Amino acid sequence: MKRYDICGLGNAIVDIFLQVDDGEFGALGYERGTMRLVDLEDQNQLLHRFSKGSHELQLVSGGSVANSIIAASQLGGNGAFIGCVGDDRYGLHYVEEFKDLRIHMGNPIIVGESTGTCVAVITPDAERTMRTCLGVSSHLSDKHVDEERIAQSSWLFIEGYVFANPDTGQHAIRRAIEFALKHGTKIAITCSEAFVPAAFSEPFHEALRKTDLLFCNAPESMAVTGKQDSESAFHALKELVPNSIVTDGPHGAYVRYQNEETHVPAFACQPRDLTGAGDMFAGAFLFGITHGYDASIAARGANYLCSKVISQIGARLQEDAVQLWREALEDPRATDVGG
């Protein structure tokens, strides 16, 4: 029996949520809905611009795969995480939060460095426009990969963004996969964003050949396969990876797991913030399959939690995740998961 359900490998980022009106957003000159990497000076200027007045800056420890580990933990799973933070206020906040969440991080603090931050600028249309300063999270390398935590985990879950650091992150991924294969730990990868499999195709596909499960949304699935629509991409993934999930927003999710295929419908909702929908799905799905649920039921529960997380501000559920999971399983659609 392994100690952890999932061990995540990813960028440790403190999410900073900032709600603005359309006029304030226009003054920034950003392209709506984009994610851009920025340096520390630019990030500090953005934060200083909104640090006074009526804008509340909400801090939540996260990062793509970290959000998934948190989601699984909120549902009652046991999680571990491998990432790096600095010894600044954001890093200390991160470590404290993960301690409270009972997620094992080891010793992630690197002295004299700045913790990664992601400012999510949220507009009235519920769209998020992100400016990410990776800080010390981009220093994640093979020397930080803890063999024991991976050995003690049922699943290793790798963040696609880490492929974007060829000099450090890609070495961390290779080492983590090596340990997972050595200890019989299953491997899952999330694309994170369509540019990852497009720009880092060779190392991404190298890792994919050793992977048990791939999570991607519709644009990411097309970037991986070269297909023109999500359904065709889902079928093409069969040749690349044994198990795969393609989420497609209001159109639900395509699921292939242990030689069974299904399409799971989405739950209707009024989105307020699309941050973390894919992270929530992955974390809830991995919780489900590590706790005895069929893949179709796990995906339906994951879709339900997604509908709840995008109906609020922020990537972490503010409601009781366990109660929401129960509600999902009791929903009448439980008898029609293949619809």
Side-chain angles (χ1 to χ4, degrees), residues 141 165-171:
S141 69
N165 296 317
D167 296 332
T168 52
Q170 290 180 17
H171 295 292

PDB file of all heavy atoms in Angstrom, residues 141 165-171:
ATOM      1  N   SER A 141      14.738  21.277 -10.885  1.00  0.00           N
ATOM      2  CA  SER A 141      15.628  20.446 -11.697  1.00  0.00           C
ATOM      3  C   SER A 141      15.683  19.035 -11.134  1.00  0.00           C
ATOM      4  O   SER A 141      15.018  18.723 -10.134  1.00  0.00           O
ATOM      5  CB  SER A 141      17.025  21.055 -11.740  1.00  0.00           C
ATOM      6  OG  SER A 141      17.638  20.965 -10.458  1.00  0.00           O
ATOM      7  N   ASN A 165      11.131  24.611 -19.599  1.00  0.00           N
ATOM      8  CA  ASN A 165      12.455  24.920 -19.047  1.00  0.00           C
ATOM      9  C   ASN A 165      13.439  23.821 -19.464  1.00  0.00           C
ATOM     10  O   ASN A 165      13.687  22.878 -18.715  1.00  0.00           O
ATOM     11  CB  ASN A 165      12.398  25.005 -17.516  1.00  0.00           C
ATOM     12  CG  ASN A 165      11.517  26.132 -17.039  1.00  0.00           C
ATOM     13  OD1 ASN A 165      11.565  27.226 -17.577  1.00  0.00           O
ATOM     14  ND2 ASN A 165      10.705  25.869 -16.036  1.00  0.00           N
ATOM     15  N   PRO A 166      14.001  23.934 -20.682  1.00  0.00           N
ATOM     16  CA  PRO A 166      14.858  22.852 -21.197  1.00  0.00           C
ATOM     17  C   PRO A 166      16.081  22.575 -20.332  1.00  0.00           C
ATOM     18  O   PRO A 166      16.511  21.422 -20.218  1.00  0.00           O
ATOM     19  CB  PRO A 166      15.276  23.358 -22.586  1.00  0.00           C
ATOM     20  CG  PRO A 166      14.248  24.368 -22.962  1.00  0.00           C
ATOM     21  CD  PRO A 166      13.822  25.006 -21.673  1.00  0.00           C
ATOM     22  N   ASP A 167      16.666  23.622 -19.719  1.00  0.00           N
ATOM     23  CA  ASP A 167      17.917  23.445 -18.985  1.00  0.00           C
ATOM     24  C   ASP A 167      17.726  22.832 -17.603  1.00  0.00           C
ATOM     25  O   ASP A 167      18.680  22.318 -17.017  1.00  0.00           O
ATOM     26  CB  ASP A 167      18.632  24.793 -18.834  1.00  0.00           C
ATOM     27  CG  ASP A 167      19.045  25.372 -20.174  1.00  0.00           C
ATOM     28  OD1 ASP A 167      19.275  24.576 -21.108  1.00  0.00           O
ATOM     29  OD2 ASP A 167      19.108  26.611 -20.291  1.00  0.00           O
ATOM     30  N   THR A 168      16.508  22.927 -17.057  1.00  0.00           N
ATOM     31  CA  THR A 168      16.270  22.425 -15.705  1.00  0.00           C
ATOM     32  C   THR A 168      15.046  21.514 -15.645  1.00  0.00           C
ATOM     33  O   THR A 168      15.139  20.362 -15.267  1.00  0.00           O
ATOM     34  CB  THR A 168      16.081  23.593 -14.722  1.00  0.00           C
ATOM     35  OG1 THR A 168      15.066  24.477 -15.238  1.00  0.00           O
ATOM     36  CG2 THR A 168      17.367  24.378 -14.531  1.00  0.00           C
ATOM     37  N   GLY A 169      13.904  22.054 -16.054  1.00  0.00           N
ATOM     38  CA  GLY A 169      12.648  21.325 -15.906  1.00  0.00           C
ATOM     39  C   GLY A 169      12.591  20.007 -16.654  1.00  0.00           C
ATOM     40  O   GLY A 169      12.096  19.007 -16.123  1.00  0.00           O
ATOM     41  N   GLN A 170      13.102  19.992 -17.875  1.00  0.00           N
ATOM     42  CA  GLN A 170      13.053  18.745 -18.640  1.00  0.00           C
ATOM     43  C   GLN A 170      13.891  17.649 -17.988  1.00  0.00           C
ATOM     44  O   GLN A 170      13.526  16.465 -18.040  1.00  0.00           O
ATOM     45  CB  GLN A 170      13.503  18.993 -20.081  1.00  0.00           C
ATOM     46  CG  GLN A 170      12.491  19.807 -20.888  1.00  0.00           C
ATOM     47  CD  GLN A 170      12.935  20.056 -22.319  1.00  0.00           C
ATOM     48  OE1 GLN A 170      13.824  19.381 -22.827  1.00  0.00           O
ATOM     49  NE2 GLN A 170      12.319  21.030 -22.971  1.00  0.00           N
ATOM     50  N   HIS A 171      14.981  18.040 -17.332  1.00  0.00           N
ATOM     51  CA  HIS A 171      15.789  17.060 -16.591  1.00  0.00           C
ATOM     52  C   HIS A 171      15.019  16.540 -15.371  1.00  0.00           C
ATOM     53  O   HIS A 171      15.106  15.354 -15.029  1.00  0.00           O
ATOM     54  CB  HIS A 171      17.113  17.685 -16.148  1.00  0.00           C
ATOM     55  CG  HIS A 171      18.010  18.053 -17.297  1.00  0.00           C
ATOM     56  ND1 HIS A 171      18.609  17.111 -18.103  1.00  0.00           N
ATOM     57  CD2 HIS A 171      18.394  19.265 -17.777  1.00  0.00           C
ATOM     58  CE1 HIS A 171      19.331  17.711 -19.028  1.00  0.00           C
ATOM     59  NE2 HIS A 171      19.213  19.025 -18.854  1.00  0.00           N
TER      60      HIS A 171
END
